[in-house]
Structures are given as structure tokens and as C-alpha cells.
Amino acid sequence: MASPLQGIRSIRDLPIEQQRLFLRVDFNVPLEDGRITDDSRIREALPTIKHAIERGARVVCASHMGRPKKGPDPKLSLEPCAELLGQEVTLPEDCVGDAAKKVVFDLRAGQVCLLENLRFHPEEEKDDDGFCRQLAQLADVYVDDAFGAVHRAHASVHGLAKLFRDRGCGFLLEKEIQALGTIITSPEKPFVAILGGAKVSDKIAVVDSLLEKVSALVVGGAMANTFLAARGKNMGKSLVEADKLALARTILEKAEAKGVDLVLPVDVVVAASTQAGEGDAQTVSVDGVPADKMALDIGPRTVAEIAKRIGEAKTVFWNGPMGLFERPAFARGTFAVARAMADSRAFTVVGGGDSAAAVHAAGEDIAKKMKHISTGGGASLELVEGKKLPGIEVLRTGETA
Ligand code: 3PG
């Protein structure tokens, strides 16, 4: 089986000494009132930045932030990120043009600048050739470490990379491709996948792909309601995608035909509304959901079933919380699954986005024990769906990884 990194050079093997290095990072971090509320993506990019500094590269970091619609928007400036890079970083006011060129050409070996938000130029999302060429003027070598953005065929992750003979991946991207690539190409069995979150429709492609590979597929979170309803359970006021019942039935049949153990909740924590507190929450069997209540978490019998599968597994992939974990009354199921994964000896991989946030909310001791927590939301799902991602494929040069 070919390595998922086949043909992709690592920054380790690229000639970056004294060179201007275009380092695409994903600093698209959550901001509240200009303050970063979760800096994991920045912290995860630091080893590559540090490596580039130590080898005397002149480092030009670039990222997008948010989805600006009409050009520059001060609320989406990358300025707050610069402080976290642990050294003096210049931030030109634009990512291309004279301002950027001046800063970049003044950089000395081991110095770093951070270009302003690439999406302040609509050409970025259009993979515009002229924009790629303007960015290319700023560097000699290209390295992508922005795993969260590799599913986008945007200029800085796609068209730009093609313009460099010396191109490759940073340590974070390498780690992500290796971990998620192993999940899809050669997972050690038994392989258990746990999917949660709100909608069946968001996960359909990943379910299809996983059914070909897993020994057991656990479905929790609000999407489980639709499966339970498809099995004829009365889910009360729970969120059920009525137009996806037929799809859920097809998935259930497919799992059965493939001999995949499809695990659905046997008990759930219910309440009258998402605003309910501890005192109003109640655990019931899925056969007894009251008509005026909604399922907001999995119950303890379900947790035990999932923990048993995790205990037997050699590979576990988890994407999507088991309930409304942001509220303490409905967080137990999600946190218990996180703990069971942390305690397991399996190769444990957590897809990004909400699941990564859930694992961190469960506790940093738990997060540390996961073999891999992806920094990509859409990117990790699309990779597990088996798609070829533009920002990864463009890095393959035919030379050995
Ligand atoms: C993400 O947050 O998933 C990535 O940074 C990609 O952002 P986007 O969905 O706005 O392209």
C-alpha cells in the first residue's frame, strides 16, 4: 500500500537555508472581540515555523481568516495571531504589492513576517492565476502546513504551489496526512468509527466511505435521532430530519449487508428544551422518549456499549459530539466517549471542528492522550470520505516523501 505521503517532500528535505519561504498556515482561529478563543491551530504550526527559523529561512507566513465578503475587514485581520508566534513578526498591511514586497525583501535569515488575510483579495478563493503570480514573487520555496484549508482549491493552497519546483509540506500537514491517511488506507482492525453531530446529511459521504472499512459504526448525537426514528422509535420533540428517514434506512440496510455492527443509542438524556438545567434532565430508554421531551445526550447504557467497542478496537476514528456538550447537563456522554478513547490503546484519531473542541472541553489530560486530534474540520471529513484534496495533490512532485 502506497504511503499517503507518496511524492510529497517534507520541509526537512527542502533547500530553505537563506531562502524566502512561503509558509501557508491555517490561522483561521475563532475570535471574540478581537481575542483568540482557541489557539490550537497556531500552536500546531509552531514546530514548522521554528524549524524554518533555525535553518535560517526568511519566513513569509500567510493565512486566511474568516470569510470576508467585500475586501479588507479590520475585524478579520491576522494581527492578533502575530503575537503568538513567539518572536517579533512584521505584518504588512496587504499580502501582495509593494507593502508586502518591502517587508519580505527586508527579512534577514531567521526572521518572520505574517502577510495580511489572503481573503481580503477575492482572487484568493478564485484560484486566480494573476494573484498566484503576485504571491509567488514573494518567495523561492513553498511549504504548506495549512491542513484546515487543503480541501479548498484556492490560490495560496493550490495555484501558487504549482509555480514552485521546491514545494512540500510542513510538520503539521505531514502528521495530518499520515494519521488520517492511515484511517482510510490501512486501519488496523477492529476499526471503530464514532459519528455524531446534528445532521445525517452532513455525514452521508463519510458514512458511505466508513462502511467499507469499519468493524463497528457508532452513531450518536442528534443524527442518531433520525436513525432511531427510521427504526420506528418515537423520538418526541427531538431533532429528526424527516426528509432523511429513507436515507437512514438505506444506511442501516447497507450496514447489515456488509456485516458492520451499527450501534445506535439504547438510552438518551432528555429535557423539554436545550436550555434545561441538570435538574430538568432525565435519562430514558429510546423506547420511552416522552412526547414533550427531546434527546440531548446519550445515556449511561449507551456509553457502556460504546466504551466496550472502543476497548476492543485497534483503531478508533471519532467525528461529531454525542450531544449538546456545551451545556453541562448534556455533556456526560460526549466526555465519557472522549475518556474511553483516551484510556484505550488503539490508534485514536479525532476529526477536527466540534469534536476537537469537545475533547479539549473534556479535559487537557484526555486531549493529550489522543494519538491525533485533527486541526481540520471540512478537510479531515473530506479526506476520510476518500476524496483527493487539491491542496495535497498539488504537492505531489513524483519525488519520494
Ligand atoms: C476551516 O476553518 O475549516 C478552514 O480554515 C477552512 O475555512 P473555510 O471553511 O472558510 O474555507
Side-chain angles (χ1 to χ4, degrees):
M1 182 75 65
S3 152
L5 286 158
Q6 182 86 40
I8 302 179
R9 290 162 82 191
S10 156
I11 186 170
R12 271 182 228 98
D13 308 319
L14 290 168
I16 60 170
E17 286 79 6
Q18 306 291 324
Q19 300 299 305
R20 291 167 308 150
L21 168 67
F22 190 99
L23 181 57
R24 177 52 160 107
V25 285
D26 185 356
F27 287 175
N28 184 26
V29 288
L31 286 176
E32 254 168 46
D33 300 328
R35 282 187 38 253
I36 298 170
T37 54
D38 176 0
D39 63 1
S40 332
R41 280 182 169 173
I42 300 177
R43 279 188 286 109
E44 292 279 357
L46 293 179
T48 302
I49 298 173
K50 197 162 157 265
H51 173 90
I53 293 170
E54 282 169 6
R55 286 180 57 200
R58 295 182 280 158
V59 190
V60 183
C61 293
S63 176
H64 71 287
M65 164 78 90
R67 293 174 177 170
K69 287 286 158 263
K70 294 185 204 125
D73 173 354
K75 285 203 235 47
L76 294 174
S77 165
L78 284 166
E79 205 174 343
C81 303
E83 288 162 27
L84 289 166
L85 299 183
Q87 71 157 68
E88 207 180 304
V89 171
T90 329
L91 192 100
E93 64 195 17
D94 197 355
C95 62
V96 286
D98 290 343
K101 275 191 200 157
K102 163 125 191 45
V103 168
V104 169
F105 284 90
D106 283 351
L107 285 178
R108 289 195 302 273
Q111 287 189 326
V112 181
C113 73
L114 172 61
L115 301 180
E116 189 47 286
N117 192 344
L118 294 155
R119 288 191 186 168
F120 286 173
H121 291 263
E123 296 89 341
E124 160 68 1
E125 291 180 61
K126 295 186 184 133
D127 203 8
D128 179 83
D129 189 52
F131 185 63
C132 291
R133 287 179 192 281
Q134 272 186 293
L135 288 171
Q137 289 173 11
L138 303 176
D140 313 297
V141 180
Y142 175 91
V143 166
D144 192 356
D145 213 20
F147 176 68
V150 289
H151 57 317
R152 307 288 184 213
H154 292 175
S156 63
V157 281
H158 184 251
L160 176 64
K162 287 197 250 176
L163 301 177
F164 290 84
R165 191 177 58 85
D166 287 324
R167 60 180 187 268
C169 66
F171 300 126
L172 173 60
L173 182 53
E174 186 174 46
K175 201 165 72 162
E176 296 269 15
I177 299 176
Q178 188 68 55
L180 292 155
T182 302
I183 291 286
I184 44 168
T185 55
S186 49
E188 236 198 298
K189 306 258 175 139
F191 174 19
V192 175
I194 306 166
L195 294 180
K199 292 191 185 154
V200 179
S201 36
D202 288 347
K203 302 277 156 83
I204 176 68
V206 81
V207 168
D208 258 342
S209 153
L210 287 170
L211 280 180
E212 303 296 329
K213 303 176 174 75
V214 294
S215 330
L217 177 66
V218 175
V219 179
M223 69 185 272
N225 300 334
T226 304
F227 281 91
L228 289 165
R231 279 218 172 135
K233 309 281 181 207
N234 188 339
M235 297 307 291
K237 266 177 38 184
S238 307
L239 183 70
V240 170
E241 285 175 279
D243 59 335
K244 293 290 172 313
L245 291 172
L247 178 64
R249 265 181 224 113
T250 312
I251 294 171
L252 291 169
E253 282 160 18
K254 214 171 183 174
E256 201 177 331
K258 292 196 175 295
V260 172
D261 171 22
L262 198 139
V263 184
L264 291 177
V266 287
D267 58 350
V268 284
V269 179
V270 297
S273 88
T274 54
Q275 299 310 311
E278 290 276 4
D280 307 311
Q282 174 193 359
T283 301
V284 297
S285 149
V286 292
D287 293 309
V289 177
D292 58 346
K293 300 270 168 78
M294 58 179 78
L296 294 166
D297 192 10
I298 52 172
R301 283 199 295 129
T302 306
V303 167
E305 285 292 324
I306 301 174
K308 184 170 148 259
R309 303 306 194 289
I310 293 174
E312 291 161 0
K314 291 235 168 72
T315 307
V316 184
F317 172 70
W318 180 24
N319 187 289
M322 298 289 101
L324 194 63
F325 75 94
E326 296 86 349
R327 297 189 64 83
F330 312 112
R332 280 189 198 90
T334 298
F335 291 176
V337 168
R339 180 163 295 285
M341 279 179 72
D343 291 343
S344 116
R345 299 172 63 165
F347 181 63
T348 45
V349 177
V350 181
D354 282 354
S355 347
V359 169
H360 287 292
E364 284 316 308
D365 54 325
I366 289 181
K368 273 200 203 98
K369 287 192 188 154
M370 299 296 175
K371 300 293 184 298
H372 184 70
I373 301 179
S374 178
T375 53
S380 60
L381 266 188
E382 288 196 23
L383 204 54
V384 175
E385 280 167 22
K387 283 195 187 153
K388 298 234 176 284
L389 306 189
I392 294 179
E393 294 313 310
V394 75
L395 297 178
R396 299 195 202 274
T397 59
E399 294 169 48
T400 357

